Every structure is written in C-alpha cells, then in structure tokens.
Amino acid sequence: MRSDNAKAGMQQAPARSLFRALGLTEEEMARPLIGVVNSYNEIVPGHMNLDKITEAVKQGIAMAGGTPIVFPAIAVCDGIAMGHVGMKYSLVTRDLIADSTECMAMAHQFDGLVMIPNCDKNVPGLLMAAARLNIPTVFVSGGPMLAGHVKGKKRSLSSMFEAVGSYAAGTMTEEDVCEFENKVCPTCGSCSGMYTANSMNCLTEVLGMGLQGNGTIPAVYSERIRLAKHAGMAVMDMVNKNIRPRDIMTEAAFRNALTMDMALGCSTNSMLHLPAIAHEAGVELNVDIANEISAKTPNLCHLAPAGPTYMEDLNEAGGIYAVMKEISKLGLLNLDCMTVTGKTVGENIKNSVNKNPEVIRTVDNPYSRTGGIAVLKGNIAPDSCVVKRSAVVPEMLQHEGPARVFDCEEDAIAAIKGGKIVAGDVVVIRYEGPKGGPGMREMLNPTSAIAGMGLGSSVALITDGRFSGASRGASIGHVSPEAAAGGPIGLVEEGDIISIDINANTINMKVSDEELARRRANWTPKVKEVTGYLKRYRKLVTSADKGAILADE
C-alpha cells in the first residue's frame, strides 16, 4: 500500500505514534488510508450538507475495509462574491484547491481519495488535483438545490439577479424583490439551474469520475446520502483494482465531456475548466475542437437559465446517463472509456431510460441541431471567445451595433441601471480577464441587469472576463487575448460597430487593419495595482483559451 510509506516498518514508528495520537487502532492502520476531502464551510449554501455527505462517505469506506481520514478544501460562493472585489478571488481558488489537496495527499501518502465538492471552483480544482495525483479517486458532490417557487413559477438564483434589474427598470416593486429574495433559493445545494457548479458535477459523471446521479440527485434527498456511502465503497474497489484517474480521464473521456457539454447546454465556464483538468491529466484539449463537436451534437436540454426546467426535473427524467444514452444513439460517445464503477461508459448507461422527452429531448427532436456552446473568432478575439448559444434568443444569434466601452464591471452596471444602454448596443467590458482583473470576474450582474431592464433580446455583451452559468442572452466571454495582454479588445472605441454572428462563429469590429494599427501604436494596456495572492496569480496565469491555467515557469 502507498500509505505504508508513512506507517510501515521500524523507521515509521514515530509516525505510528502520531496515528495512535489520532485514536487509530492497529486494525485501522493496517487498512488502506483514504483521504476524504471535505469542502464544507458555513458561507456556501451548497456546502451546508457536506458534513452529512462526509459522514456517509466515511461509513462507506469503513464498510468496504478502508480507514477514512478527513481533511478540508476551501470554497468561495460565487453568488455572494458577485459584483464586488470578492469575485476576483473565485477563479483563483481553483489552483489553491488543487495545490493544497496535492500537498495533503502527498504529505500523508493516502491510498485513495474521495472528493466532496459542490460550488463553485472546488469541483474543477479537485478534478485537477485528482488528475495530477493519479491515485484512486471518486467524486460525490453535495447535490443541486431544489427550485424556488414565486408567483406560481419555478425560480432560481438567476431570477433573483434579474429581479434587481427589473426593479431598476421600474417594472418590479421592492415588495416583489423581497418575495424573490425569500423564495428563489429554498434549500441547501448548488443553485438549481445548469449553472457552473451543476455543469461541472454533471460532467464529472460524464468523465467517469462520479457515480450515477452525482450531478442531479437533489441535495436534500436521502438518496444522496446513499450515493455518498456507495462512493466510499467505490473508492475501495478502485484501490483493490488499482484504477486511477488517468485511466479514466483520457482524451476520449474529455471528448465525451465536450459532447455532453453541448447536449446539456452547460455553463461557458466549462470551457475554462475542461482544458485545465485535461492539462493535469496530460491531455491537451484545444477549445477549437468545441465547434467541431458542436456541429454534430444536438442540444437536448434547456435548463435554467436557458429554459423553464431545473436540475430536479433532469434528475426525474433519468439524469445524465439518460442524456448520454440519447446522444449515444448518434454514435457520438466513446462507450469504451473506463469509469469509477470499474465498468465502461457503455456498460453504465446500457439500461438508462429517458423518462421525460420534454426535459431531455430526443435526438430527432432537439432544441437545436448544434450544441449549446459556440466558440467565436474575429478581429476582437483572434484566439477565441465563448458564448452559451443555447441561452441566446434567436434574434440575437446575429447582431450588429455600436460599442459601449467600459474598463471595469462596475462602470458598465452603473450605465445599464442608469438607462444609458439602449436597444442595439454592444456593451464591451475589458480589463477583467485572468491577468487584467486579475482573477477573471463573472459578469452575472451586468447580464442580469440587461435582462431585467428588458434588453435581453436587443443588447449584446462581450468581455475578456467570464460569465456565471446563470447568465443568459448574447453574453460573449473569455475574449482572448485579453486587453491586459495586448488583445485587440483593448483597442475598441466608443461607437465602433461590432458585428456578431454566432451561427457563423465570428465576431468583428468594423474597423480597418490600418486604423487598428494606428490605435495600437498609441496604446499601452492598463495595469491595476494589486497585492498579495492576486499579484502572484497575475504573474503566472495564462490566457482564457488555454483554460487560465498557471504557467509551469
């Protein structure tokens, strides 16, 4: 056993004395030591129940002959961090989580790991750690929140942000906003739409790193406690069979994940996280292949914010395996990929059934013939930018309008809520990328303000920052290169005409190459003063199209 490095032989007698100080018995020390990475804290609603999930995982490990040992991982609540300096500290935690988990796992020589994440960057952060460490690992999340109910309709966090915009537009009263505030987030769990946390938990199933239901069983269901016990048992089976993350997270598995990303209509943040996870697994995942995969992958699900269905509905319809079974009818998935069950993808999904073709459309009746995410390129984004196509109204798939330029999120929000943005405009928010932010803030506040002001079908927003999975509309992010790195988004001037064609995967400003060269000659990218971790992060972070990974040197 790997843990024998820390506990076997006369030389490790001092270490054994410390294990005994923990209360471990001879019998427990003789078993495989399994690290249980608990992301529990008291600030993230999606983590309220992780103490119960952790206890269930420990029981499962012990029942299967292992010794569970818990250690923590940090987590930021993106919703609480949104709209202020705190959002600069969200994406950056992904690498802190991966690094700190590596440190704990290597220092104590665990034989296996069970990762217990939920919201937000700890799902990809722990997947990165799993790929890097390459010891038997299973994921079990805290599960999604149930949808809220306001005025006879199901609602979610995106409804709350849009309510604030509606109040600014004078179409909603303070009492209405208060009702939303009290009802849209009714339980613990990751917010109830296909936002980033749920997207990544669902894709963990697709990658083969989580058991069936990991992405969709609601947080408050006892079924999730049972799932956690089975996750504890599963990691022991992996230890016994020596099944490791890199046996599972292969190039074929990542192509499966991108395919299902398109079918499900996941958050655009998946386009940051999948390449970063793949990099740790030794797989280079170029976002350019996203359009190739999208072109042949139908979009089968329209969960909030793209449509009126929620994670609980997807769960009742058969969950992720049912969507995979539907997509497999087109031959688009590699069914031979290994998973944490010790079985292949094909074996896992063989008996899955689509129980509600209104929630999971069939492949011959999709929402669209192409996938939920599109990668655009043009003279604003020579390397790439990303849009959640499934959440864009048809009339905004092609759009042309004047640029309204802002060098930070706060200025853009003030203009939107102040009525200074009008139908046809293209809001440009720059210097919010990985280096420019630093930290690449999510722009849920401005996108929700646009929707709440009634401009969702007439105004586009582009940024070198990123979007929450709760954003909808023509919200185009991850513009690469970013302004702070010399990207041409930094050359856009107020009133420039910007042409967007999502169907053609293009985005351009109607400015001649000669004029752009003139502007560049007289331009120096802005640099924001920062200290502490953000300063170190800015030195190492790479472009969004590379997954915003940290450079090795």
Side-chain angles (χ1 to χ4, degrees):
M1 289 186 289
R2 188 168 179 267
S3 59
D4 284 347
N5 292 329
K7 66 185 184 184
M10 182 56 66
Q11 184 174 325
Q12 293 309 116
R16 288 197 299 278
S17 73
L18 294 171
F19 281 122
R20 294 183 192 280
L22 290 168
L24 293 189
T25 65
E26 198 75 42
E27 293 81 3
E28 287 172 307
M29 281 191 278
R31 297 172 178 177
L33 302 185
I34 307 299
V36 180
V37 188
N38 181 9
S39 300
Y40 174 79
N41 62 46
E42 294 184 342
I43 191 66
V44 184
H47 292 215
M48 283 174 62
N49 64 329
L50 295 193
D51 54 343
K52 295 177 176 58
I53 299 295
T54 298
E55 286 305 312
V57 166
K58 289 171 67 178
Q59 289 179 43
I61 292 169
M63 283 190 286
T67 298
I69 300 177
V70 179
F71 65 89
I74 63 170
V76 165
C77 177
D78 280 13
I80 294 174
M82 197 77 65
H84 54 86
V85 67
M87 182 44 66
K88 294 177 184 286
Y89 288 87
S90 171
L91 179 61
V92 303
T93 65
R94 188 183 71 179
D95 298 276
L96 281 175
I97 291 160
D99 292 348
S100 60
T101 302
E102 175 193 0
C103 290
M104 288 294 288
M106 292 301 294
H108 302 104
Q109 292 292 288
F110 291 112
D111 297 297
L113 297 169
V114 178
M115 308 292 202
I116 308 178
N118 217 22
C119 337
D120 272 286
K121 301 307 165 289
N122 54 14
V123 186
L126 291 177
L127 281 165
M128 289 166 67
R132 187 186 301 175
L133 288 162
N134 200 34
I135 61 176
T137 303
V138 175
F139 278 69
V140 56
S141 76
M145 185 182 290
L146 294 177
H149 293 263
V150 185
K151 301 186 186 304
K153 293 183 178 180
K154 285 185 177 182
R155 306 285 188 173
S156 61
L157 183 65
S158 52
S159 310
M160 185 71 250
F161 278 89
E162 291 178 15
V164 174
S166 297
Y167 175 77
T171 58
M172 189 175 281
T173 67
E174 186 174 347
E175 289 75 19
D176 288 332
V177 174
C178 186
E179 183 179 6
F180 272 75
E181 182 180 329
N182 280 284
K183 294 181 177 178
V184 296
C185 295
T187 69
C188 63
S190 46
C191 295
S192 55
M194 189 56 83
Y195 309 148
T196 305
N198 289 328
S199 294
M200 293 310 301
N201 280 326
C202 290
L203 293 179
T204 299
E205 276 193 62
V206 179
L207 281 170
M209 292 298 294
L211 298 177
Q212 182 178 9
N214 180 59
T216 60
I217 297 171
V220 295
Y221 283 15
S222 297
E223 184 182 358
R224 184 155 288 275
I225 300 296
R226 299 195 296 273
L227 179 74
K229 291 177 182 177
H230 282 124
M233 297 176 199
V235 77
M236 292 306 301
D237 187 53
M238 292 179 71
V239 168
N240 293 332
K241 294 177 179 176
N242 197 28
I243 299 173
R244 301 174 181 236
R246 291 193 186 186
D247 300 326
I248 295 169
M249 289 191 281
T250 61
E251 183 176 356
F254 282 105
R255 288 188 73 94
N256 281 353
L258 275 175
T259 298
M260 287 298 296
D261 194 329
M262 300 300 170
L264 290 164
C266 290
S267 163
T268 52
N269 280 314
S270 61
M271 292 292 103
L272 277 179
H273 300 322
L274 287 175
I277 300 160
H279 177 75
E280 296 289 355
V283 175
E284 292 307 311
L285 192 66
N286 191 325
V287 295
D288 286 345
I289 70 171
N291 286 338
E292 167 206 325
I293 290 173
S294 179
K296 54 189 178 185
T297 307
N299 177 226
L300 304 184
C301 299
H302 263 195
L303 281 78
T309 54
Y310 294 82
M311 296 305 296
E312 63 201 65
D313 302 311
L314 180 57
N315 187 62
E316 295 303 316
I320 300 307
Y321 278 18
V323 186
M324 294 177 75
K325 181 70 175 292
E326 199 66 49
I327 285 294
S328 71
K329 294 175 183 177
L330 298 176
L332 297 179
L333 295 178
N334 186 317
L335 302 180
D336 295 326
C337 293
M338 179 52 63
T339 72
V340 294
T341 65
K343 299 178 181 178
T344 65
V345 168
E347 291 172 313
N348 284 344
I349 70 173
K350 180 174 60 176
N351 297 320
S352 295
V353 176
N354 181 355
K355 300 174 184 177
N356 189 340
E358 292 302 312
V359 175
I360 304 171
R361 292 281 187 93
T362 59
V363 291
D364 54 4
N365 182 37
Y367 282 102
S368 67
R369 295 288 172 188
T370 53
I373 289 178
V375 174
L376 317 182
K377 289 188 177 183
N379 65 359
I380 292 180
D383 290 341
S384 68
C385 57
V386 178
V387 63
K388 187 171 182 174
R389 175 165 43 197
S390 60
V392 180
V393 294
E395 55 266 38
M396 288 298 290
L397 291 171
Q398 292 178 301
H399 180 77
E400 193 169 288
R404 305 298 310 280
V405 183
F406 306 93
D407 287 347
C408 68
E409 177 189 5
E410 288 82 358
D411 290 350
I413 292 171
I416 295 164
K417 291 185 176 178
K420 297 178 181 178
I421 303 301
V422 300
D425 284 348
V426 178
V427 176
V428 178
I429 306 177
R430 60 196 181 190
Y431 295 105
E432 291 285 7
K435 287 185 180 294
M440 203 178 185
R441 286 194 286 183
E442 289 184 344
M443 301 290 156
L444 180 55
N445 272 330
T447 59
S448 298
I450 287 170
M453 296 288 284
L455 298 170
S457 60
S458 59
V459 168
L461 189 154
I462 66 173
T463 180
D464 52 11
R466 61 195 178 96
F467 294 109
S468 163
S471 293
R472 62 186 176 98
S475 304
I476 301 165
H478 307 192
V479 169
S480 301
E482 61 178 295
I489 188 174
L491 304 177
V492 180
E493 294 184 356
E494 189 81 6
D496 284 348
I497 300 301
I498 294 180
S499 177
I500 300 164
D501 191 334
I502 294 172
N503 289 326
N505 302 313
T506 61
I507 182 166
N508 290 286
M509 51 180 153
K510 291 192 166 181
V511 177
S512 68
D513 292 344
E514 292 76 18
E515 172 59 16
L516 290 176
R518 185 193 67 77
R519 292 180 188 180
R520 184 173 290 281
N522 298 298
W523 172 66
T524 302
K526 295 182 178 181
V527 178
K528 297 174 184 175
E529 288 297 320
V530 290
T531 58
Y533 182 59
L534 290 182
K535 187 173 183 178
R536 282 181 281 140
Y537 181 84
R538 182 170 63 191
K539 286 182 180 179
L540 294 174
V541 70
T542 60
S543 178
D545 67 305
K546 303 293 190 296
I549 60 174
L550 300 186
D552 293 331
E553 297 180 359

